Amino acid sequence: MTTPHVAPRRGALLLLAATQLLLITDTAIVNVALPSVGEDLGSGSAGLSWVANAYLVTFGGLLLLGGRAADLLGHRRVFLGGLGVLAVASAAGGLAPGAGALVAARAAQGAGAALAASAAFALLLLLFPDGPARHRALGAFAAMGGLGGVLGTVLGGVLTDLFGWRSTFWLNVLFAAVLALPALRVLDGRPGRLRPGGLRPGGLDLAGAATATAGLGLLAYALVGAAETGWLSARTLTTGGTGVALLLAFAAVETRSAAPLVPPAVLARPALRTANVLAALAQTTLFPMFFLVSLHLQSVLGSGPLGGGLGLLPLSLVVVAVAPQTGRIIFRIGLHRAMTLGFVLLCAGTLWLALALTPDGTFASTVLAPSLLIGAALPLVMVTTNVAATAEATAEETGLASGLVNTSQQFGAVLGLAVLVAVAAGRTEAVDAARDAAETAGHRAALLTGAALAALAALLSVRLHLPKPAPVP
């Protein structure tokens, strides 16, 4: 017989997984609409790139602060606040009169998404204690992430063609409202660890919050702009160096703060540090792979934007099929082996994809089979790294653990895209051949780099050892 708390937990999981779907879909849907944005607003390629990048900068910079704020202010409160900011910013994007206003709206969207994402993940950790139930819940998150990338690409093409690019922003407003209403009923409304009357002295590490957010934001700004200005440009070196300096200042602040944003004792846990590095490495390979496959299908094989998105559909269907089974795989072979298996499959699939690419091939002959293998690997690496990164978190640290692993994944994605796109561009320029052959060589070089990073992660995963849980007295 079903226990009384199971139905509410299922409702909450459905809501939180739908939030993950919204956030991943939003990232992809706007990218498809960018050419239409440029035509309508008269923006050049540099301006258009920051319509996408402004979101990444604020999202990456605020994840850690959002997670800690959820612990202190209340997870549902921060979750609803994030959805509210996302909805208002999306409406501003839909009404934006020019490129500058649209970039500002995208930055605000990223801020709202960071708050909602950190709080949603923390709520999942609270609802499902470490064990098989959490593994299944994280599998649902992974499935929604895989589905969101393709759904965003497809919806972006359809909505832009039928109703114009502004409709992609108004869709966010609708989704955020639909998610906010049931959140009041199914999510835990406990107020957090700060008193309702306001922030008690020392309750929030303001110096740590300022240095961490500014440091992460500047580092993200440097990484996403490196492809445009160059890795050794003055802007990249200045913003990146300032970001690193602020993060070093943040580390110094945390050792002296009475209530640190990230307690040094948490970062002293070897398993947590290794798991976050592995989470970043996973995204360093995965996120650019989606971009490169879609780019190859369109620029080399001649597919349209919609065809480029649909080319990733088989991969996403495999993710949706495998993700719910990840908990059983972990139970049967153990977390450690499941993680290593995932990275081995990711390395093999990415290597296969790189070697299969040809300038005169077809989707079926070059992309389909290796993408299915990558689809099986994705939920394994995502679920296992999330489990490992949050296994030692107490109830008071769920937002912090969420912020840390989300930040690791976001910066892995941003760094991977910046590095692998630079590898692809450099190899393309170096090859003296027809355009399609040169671009294929560039895509192959980037994917081979991604496979090498996945191999490094597989080796590092062997060294991950989670502490055994203390015996129950």
Side-chain angles (χ1 to χ4, degrees):
M1 192 169 201
T2 305
T3 54
H5 68 281
V6 169
R9 285 207 307 176
R10 285 177 179 168
L13 176 58
L14 179 62
L15 173 67
L16 297 174
T19 302
Q20 175 76 348
L21 179 65
L22 165 64
L23 297 178
I24 300 298
T25 299
D26 179 52
T27 303
I29 200 170
V30 173
N31 291 340
V32 178
L34 284 180
S36 297
V37 173
E39 292 177 9
D40 186 25
L41 301 182
S43 178
S45 59
L48 284 180
S49 69
W50 283 104
V51 173
N53 293 340
Y55 179 94
L56 296 176
V57 169
T58 53
F59 186 72
L62 288 168
L63 278 166
L64 184 58
L65 179 59
R68 199 55 173 160
D71 285 336
L72 297 173
L73 303 176
H75 299 88
R76 190 179 74 176
R77 183 180 298 169
V78 172
F79 174 77
L80 289 170
L83 285 182
V85 172
L86 180 65
V88 172
S90 296
L95 297 170
L102 185 58
V103 169
R106 286 289 287 164
Q109 274 188 309
L115 295 174
S118 296
F121 196 84
L123 282 161
L124 181 142
L125 299 181
L126 285 173
L127 282 166
F128 300 92
D130 190 30
R134 179 178 289 182
H135 302 166
R136 289 192 294 271
L138 289 171
F141 253 49
M144 291 303 100
L147 186 60
V150 174
L151 184 62
T153 304
V154 174
L155 276 177
V158 171
L159 289 174
T160 302
D161 285 344
L162 294 179
F163 305 108
W165 64 268
R166 294 181 187 275
S167 64
T168 63
F169 285 86
W170 290 108
L171 184 66
N172 283 341
V173 179
L174 175 62
F175 279 175
V178 169
L179 292 172
L181 292 175
L184 292 169
R185 182 171 54 87
V186 302
L187 297 182
D188 188 345
R190 284 179 291 185
R193 294 194 292 117
L194 292 183
R195 294 172 184 170
L199 299 180
R200 65 174 182 268
L204 182 61
D205 175 18
L206 295 179
T211 52
T213 301
L216 290 170
L218 284 172
L219 195 58
Y221 180 86
L223 289 172
V224 298
E228 177 189 337
T229 62
W231 287 93
L232 298 179
S233 68
R235 190 179 83 177
T236 300
L237 293 176
T238 300
T239 54
T242 305
V244 171
L246 284 169
L247 291 178
L248 291 174
F250 166 70
V253 167
E254 297 307 273
T255 62
R256 295 171 174 81
S257 175
L261 186 69
V262 182
V266 172
L267 291 181
R269 300 168 187 169
L272 180 142
R273 293 199 306 268
T274 303
N276 275 275
V277 169
L278 288 167
L281 282 173
Q283 286 300 324
T284 302
T285 298
L286 282 167
F287 190 80
M289 182 275 304
F290 282 97
F291 173 79
L292 290 165
V293 167
S294 181
L295 185 63
H296 186 80
L297 289 173
Q298 294 181 63
S299 66
V300 177
L301 301 188
S303 300
L306 188 57
L310 289 175
L312 296 169
L313 183 59
L315 182 152
S316 296
L317 293 177
V318 173
V319 172
V320 173
V322 173
Q325 309 304 319
T326 305
R328 294 180 182 178
I329 296 172
I330 294 173
F331 177 76
R332 291 192 176 184
I333 67 176
L335 178 67
H336 184 269
R337 291 187 181 89
M339 181 184 294
T340 303
L341 173 63
F343 279 114
V344 168
L345 291 177
L346 179 59
C347 175
T350 308
L351 179 62
W352 184 5
L353 178 62
L355 298 177
L357 293 184
T358 60
D360 56 353
T362 64
F363 166 74
S365 67
T366 60
V367 173
L368 179 58
S371 73
L372 298 181
L373 187 59
I374 295 172
L378 188 152
L380 283 175
V381 297
M382 293 302 296
V383 174
T384 55
T385 52
N386 279 327
V387 168
T390 58
E392 299 177 84
T394 65
E396 292 77 22
E397 296 171 346
T398 53
L400 172 60
S402 165
L404 284 171
V405 71
N406 273 294
T407 300
S408 298
Q409 291 169 348
Q410 179 67 14
F411 274 86
V414 171
L415 178 61
L417 188 62
V419 170
L420 268 62
V421 167
V423 169
R427 180 59 178 161
T428 298
E429 293 174 2
V431 172
D432 185 14
R435 184 187 67 84
D436 286 353
E439 288 193 12
T440 299
H443 299 161
R444 183 181 296 118
L447 290 168
L448 287 173
T449 304
L453 292 170
L456 173 63
L459 293 174
L460 184 60
S461 71
V462 177
R463 298 173 56 87
L464 177 68
H465 298 288
L466 291 175
K468 294 181 180 179
V472 179

